[in-house]
Amino acid sequence: MTEVQLNSLYQQLILEHYRKPKNRGKLEPYTEAVRMRNPTCGDDITLQIRVEDDRIVDARFYGEGCSISQASASMMTELLKGTTLEEALALSDRFTAMMHGDEEAAKDRSLRDLRALQGVSKFPVRIKCALLGFDALQEGVKKVRGEE
Amino acid sequence: MTKSVAAAPTLDVETIRKDFPVLHQRVNGHPLVYLDNAATSQKPVQVLEAISAYYRGDNANVHRGIHELSRRATEGYEGARKRMARFLGVQDPAEIVWTRGTTEGINLVASSWGGANLKEGDEILLSVMEHHSNLVPWQIVAERTGARIRYLEIDEEGRLELDALDTLLTDRTRMVSLTQMSNALGTINPIGRIAERVHAAGALLMVDGAQGAAHGEVDLPALGADFYACSGHKMCGPTGIGLLWARRELLEAMPPYQGGGEMIRFVERDHSTFADIPHKFEAGTPNIAGAIGMAAAADYLEGVGPDRILAHEQALVRYAMERLAEIPEVRVYGPKDPSERAGVLSFTMGDAHPHDISTILDTEGVAVRAGHHCAQLVMKRYEVAATARASFYLYNTRDEVDRLIDGLATVQSIFG
């Protein structure tokens, strides 16, 4: 790890989302709520989504954790509003691909602020932090569809 | 920097460092500063060579062969038991049971002693300072037997609230199990004073020595414990080996923990007779090389002087606490007086999450732990999700403390 990689990990945009997260708090009413915790580090995120006609009309999250997990959840919820469940899963796949080093995915403008998290892919032990909110999203979509 | 420490470390740290090959490497472009010793310690060449020599020259199964290698392996394995007995001040080596580590030692006592002796309404007294390995085995046996678990609380400085001990010790208390030294806070507990009160109440005392055995002199007969468990890997030995000590009469009265080879005398179709202690508790082929490695670690530590190791760690902690006090955002957990603690420093820093602290320090080659340190009850007590933890050992230096502080300046520049 170098200083360059460290600076790319802790970009200003990430720290802004960490300090002033978007869509933080409780959603009422909601369709599904999923709590995801990483027992090894204590990261803890509950994602709530409200779904109407297969479309996520609102999303919020609460919990606590490191800057990466919190910023990722904040950025994710910004993008979720108005997407279909299908689009949400596609977003999750794109982001996951970026985390695993897919350069093409990292160029995808539809990831918006989430692209700032590309640097996390160089820190293997932190990738799970960035994916925690998306794990909750995938679980939530399954629940809405009655697959759980 | 504030005024420096009074007592200079009496260890020849530069010579000691030469014995630890792993320390001499660069991590992320910087010389490694290993400050995760409470998780596991590094191993000196003397230990590595003892393990290697066993496998290269003597490897065989123990206790059951007539041939020469088996004799040597048995001698090495049983010799290691005698060595560990001497290290802990124990007269009778048969009171030393080899385990996989502290966790297995506590599970053995909870399952075997607890299963045979606990009944509904009995009480087990633990503290919120305990590592999960000294909580969960008791929860399992409590569930099984109907016994109830009670807790000693800790104060703001991470010390046991012993004023409550007399109230918590009742005629229903059968077992008290406490750590000798907190892995999360560094607190050294006054086991001797506690033991007197536990015994006066008619209960037994188990001591988790995972940290304690590694960082200071342990004289088991004087400590006052009835059961004591420790691990090789925390004290310069290999992983996967540890020991349980208890007085002969306690071990003899306990049923076996696991069944299998090594632990039997005669096996019939529907029952078996068991071997004498300690073999009654050592089913299956044991970790022979691990036992030999742990004994080599005891040789090494005794050569250095366990009391001097603790003094060295306390000097480093005192210095680190002084330096950390220069950073206003830092909050240190555990006793304020370094003489009440071992070389463990848990801290948080402003709104920088411990994971972020650890990642940033790692980019500068400084290895610290971040998380709950298997002590979630401690985290709950101080209402934090996690802390960063720097833990020192005999090979750490003041320069390395400075490297930690430099790394925290980087954290500050990013999160400040």
Side-chain angles (χ1 to χ4, degrees):
Chain A
M1 265 12 99
T2 64
E3 203 184 319
V4 176
Q5 284 174 331
L6 191 63
N7 290 335
S8 87
L9 179 66
Y10 292 112
Q11 288 185 26
Q12 212 47 48
L13 192 57
I14 294 172
L15 295 174
E16 278 168 23
H17 275 277
Y18 174 50
R19 295 239 164 81
K20 290 181 180 156
K22 304 283 169 34
N23 304 308
R24 189 187 176 86
K26 292 193 177 170
L27 186 62
E28 201 58 59
Y30 62 90
T31 313
E32 285 299 344
V34 178
R35 184 178 188 188
M36 277 286 164
R37 287 197 283 182
N38 183 338
T40 59
C41 62
D43 283 354
D44 185 343
I45 281 176
T46 301
L47 175 72
Q48 292 175 307
I49 49 175
R50 183 158 68 240
V51 179
E52 289 168 10
D53 299 330
D54 242 26
R55 196 172 282 277
I56 297 173
V57 293
D58 207 352
R60 291 181 83 79
F61 80 101
Y62 56 91
E64 57 186 319
C66 66
S67 62
I68 306 300
S69 68
Q70 301 298 302
S72 171
S74 166
M75 294 166 173
M76 178 187 78
T77 52
E78 274 195 305
L79 290 187
L80 287 182
K81 288 181 198 177
T83 64
T84 63
L85 295 178
E86 209 53 50
E87 287 164 347
L89 287 182
L91 175 75
S92 176
D93 288 346
R94 276 318 251 173
F95 183 73
T96 305
M98 183 177 85
M99 280 302 103
H100 292 131
D102 184 336
E103 299 282 336
E104 284 307 306
K107 288 178 190 150
D108 187 341
R109 287 175 180 279
S110 70
L111 286 176
R112 306 273 290 274
D113 285 6
L114 284 167
R115 290 198 300 167
L117 288 162
Q118 193 198 353
V120 178
S121 66
K122 301 284 189 297
F123 292 78
V125 296
R126 301 301 299 279
I127 292 172
K128 63 183 188 307
C129 309
L131 291 177
L132 196 64
F134 284 93
D135 291 343
L137 172 63
Q138 288 180 8
E139 195 75 15
V141 171
K142 274 189 196 164
K143 278 177 145 183
V144 173
R145 288 176 164 174
E147 292 168 8
E148 288 269 302
Chain B
M1 218 177 91
T2 52
K3 67 177 189 296
S4 72
V5 295
T10 52
L11 292 187
D12 182 359
V13 178
E14 281 320 304
T15 303
I16 287 170
R17 288 181 71 82
K18 292 196 180 92
D19 292 331
F20 291 82
V22 79
L23 296 177
H24 306 285
Q25 63 176 299
R26 296 178 85 82
V27 167
N28 295 322
H30 302 270
L32 168 67
V33 175
Y34 185 77
L35 300 181
D36 194 16
N37 294 289
T40 197
S41 68
Q42 299 301 346
K43 326 301 175 199
V45 282
Q46 290 83 343
V47 168
L48 303 178
E49 276 166 12
I51 295 167
S52 175
Y54 164 72
Y55 277 127
R56 283 167 183 271
D58 306 327
N59 179 57
N61 214 325
V62 290
H63 296 143
R64 57 184 84 142
I66 304 292
H67 60 81
E68 170 65 13
L69 289 193
S70 177
R71 185 195 63 76
R72 278 191 237 153
T74 305
E75 204 171 275
Y77 180 67
E78 292 303 328
R81 194 190 308 274
K82 287 181 192 140
R83 182 68 189 89
M84 291 315 300
R86 208 163 76 235
F87 184 73
L88 298 169
V90 172
Q91 294 292 318
D92 181 359
E95 293 180 343
I96 303 282
V97 176
W98 292 115
T99 63
R100 284 191 294 130
T102 306
T103 299
E104 190 178 48
I106 299 170
N107 274 280
L108 193 162
V109 175
S111 174
S112 170
W113 180 89
N117 291 285
L118 292 172
K119 56 185 188 305
E120 186 146 7
D122 284 349
E123 291 177 358
I124 303 162
L125 181 61
L126 309 172
S127 88
V128 297
M129 183 194 287
E130 302 310 312
H131 188 283
H132 297 163
S133 63
N134 197 21
L135 297 173
V136 183
W138 300 111
Q139 291 172 348
I140 291 171
V141 75
E143 177 75 32
R144 216 170 94 198
T145 59
R148 173 177 172 221
I149 295 174
R150 302 188 73 182
Y151 285 98
L152 264 172
E153 300 296 328
I154 52 179
D155 66 16
E156 268 310 299
E157 286 192 39
R159 294 168 301 205
L160 293 175
E161 290 185 343
L162 291 176
D163 290 349
L165 190 57
D166 289 333
T167 321
L168 286 166
L169 285 171
T170 69
D171 54 7
R172 297 176 162 223
T173 312
R174 304 293 312 280
M175 172 65 81
V176 179
S177 191
L178 299 171
T179 186
Q180 189 178 11
M181 197 177 275
S182 162
N183 72 305
L185 298 163
T187 319
I188 300 172
N189 287 325
I191 296 296
R193 269 169 40 212
I194 296 169
E196 282 172 24
R197 292 159 76 178
V198 169
H199 292 146
L204 293 174
L205 177 65
M206 168 137 210
V207 170
D208 166 358
Q211 301 294 330
H215 300 280
E217 194 163 4
V218 178
D219 182 14
L220 280 179
L223 188 66
D226 300 291
F227 296 96
Y228 187 87
C230 63
S231 301
H233 75 99
K234 307 272 195 202
M235 46 175 282
C236 295
T239 53
I241 189 74
L243 63 84
L244 168 72
W245 169 83
R247 287 193 317 278
R248 175 175 276 276
E249 59 271 26
L250 279 170
L251 288 175
E252 282 177 342
M254 282 158 57
Y257 172 52
Q258 294 179 327
E262 296 272 351
M263 53 77 72
I264 40 81
R265 199 184 298 273
F266 299 107
V267 176
E268 307 293 342
R269 284 192 175 225
D270 56 358
H271 75 280
S272 299
T273 47
F274 304 124
D276 289 336
I277 64 160
H279 303 108
K280 181 170 75 173
F281 295 106
E282 294 178 2
T285 296
N287 184 354
I288 306 160
I292 289 168
M294 188 171 181
D299 284 343
Y300 188 82
L301 293 178
E302 218 154 77
V304 175
D307 48 340
R308 294 204 299 168
I309 293 171
L310 183 61
H312 173 71
E313 288 177 23
Q314 287 177 332
L316 286 177
V317 157
R318 186 180 297 273
Y319 178 57
M321 286 171 85
E322 285 172 9
R323 300 266 359 235
L324 285 171
E326 296 165 19
I327 311 170
E329 296 90 345
V330 166
R331 177 180 173 197
V332 174
Y333 300 83
K336 289 197 169 66
D337 178 354
S339 68
E340 290 179 44
R341 59 155 84 221
V344 173
L345 266 182
S346 259
F347 62 94
T348 51
M349 187 172 167
D351 70 352
H353 190 277
H355 262 195
D356 294 313
I357 296 173
S358 182
T359 291
I360 293 166
L361 291 175
D362 187 51
T363 62
E364 301 191 3
V366 180
V368 302
R369 190 80 151 189
H372 52 60
H373 319 296
C374 294
Q376 291 185 14
L377 300 188
V378 173
M379 301 297 120
K380 288 192 176 89
R381 165 66 177 80
Y382 297 112
E383 295 176 344
V384 289
T387 68
R389 181 187 70 186
S391 51
F392 307 102
Y393 208 11
L394 71 168
Y395 37 66
N396 290 120
T397 66
R398 283 166 67 96
D399 287 349
E400 291 182 314
V401 174
D402 292 335
R403 290 272 309 280
L404 167 69
I405 303 297
D406 292 347
L408 293 178
T410 310
V411 175
Q412 238 180 339
S413 73
I414 292 170
F415 282 89

